[in-house]
Amino acid sequence: MDCLFCAIVAGEIPSRQVYADEAAYAFLDINPWHRGHTVLVPRRHVTDLLELPEGLGELTPAISATGRLLVERLGAQGLNLLSNAGAVAGQEVFHLHVHLIPRYADRPGMAGLMQRETGIDLDEVHRQIVGA
Ligand code: 5GP
Ligand code: ZN
């Protein structure tokens, strides 16, 4: 199967890892809306949330840990969680993923959620998160 996020989980395509456990893998989004925008995926291939009868259950510990890590390390004041299921909902990569988007006081509110911030240095953000 030709799946971008399966290839990222397998390490065949490089990514900036934020968090990983036995069920999930989280990495910096290549085109962030806000500093530290992270994508979290199940290690196994699932198309979207609607294909997962048990819901996000097995991903919950990783979602929680990744969210707290991002907020603490980046000094964010809040966090948005979002999962797009289906092309009509804006899904572009058809391997279930949750967006974790740290939020900062200088760009608050839902209206600004998806406004891309330019000039984010992903390597610098990654170093700040993983402490390298
Ligand atoms: P969707 O629109 O499917 O909910 O979100 C897919 C996300 O994956 C987008 O925010 C996009 O920037 C991100 N993305 C797409 N290709 C890559 C990639 O090769 N590497 C990383 N790190 N993120 C990607
Ligand atoms: Zn996949």
Side-chain angles (χ1 to χ4, degrees), residues 33-34 82 84 103 107 109-117:
W33 301 338
H34 296 264
L82 175 70
N84 303 324
R103 300 300 302 274
R107 290 206 300 138
M110 279 293 287
L113 174 61
M114 294 179 65
Q115 284 165 18
R116 286 208 159 80
E117 187 172 336

Side-chain angles (χ1 to χ4, degrees), residues 26-55:
F27 52 98
L28 286 183
D29 195 295
I30 207 163
N31 207 351
W33 301 338
H34 296 264
R35 190 178 162 79
H37 180 171
T38 292
V39 175
L40 184 148
V41 306
R43 289 186 179 276
R44 63 188 175 108
H45 184 87
V46 179
T47 307
D48 62 41
L49 192 52
L50 301 172
E51 296 288 315
L52 200 62
E54 64 273 38

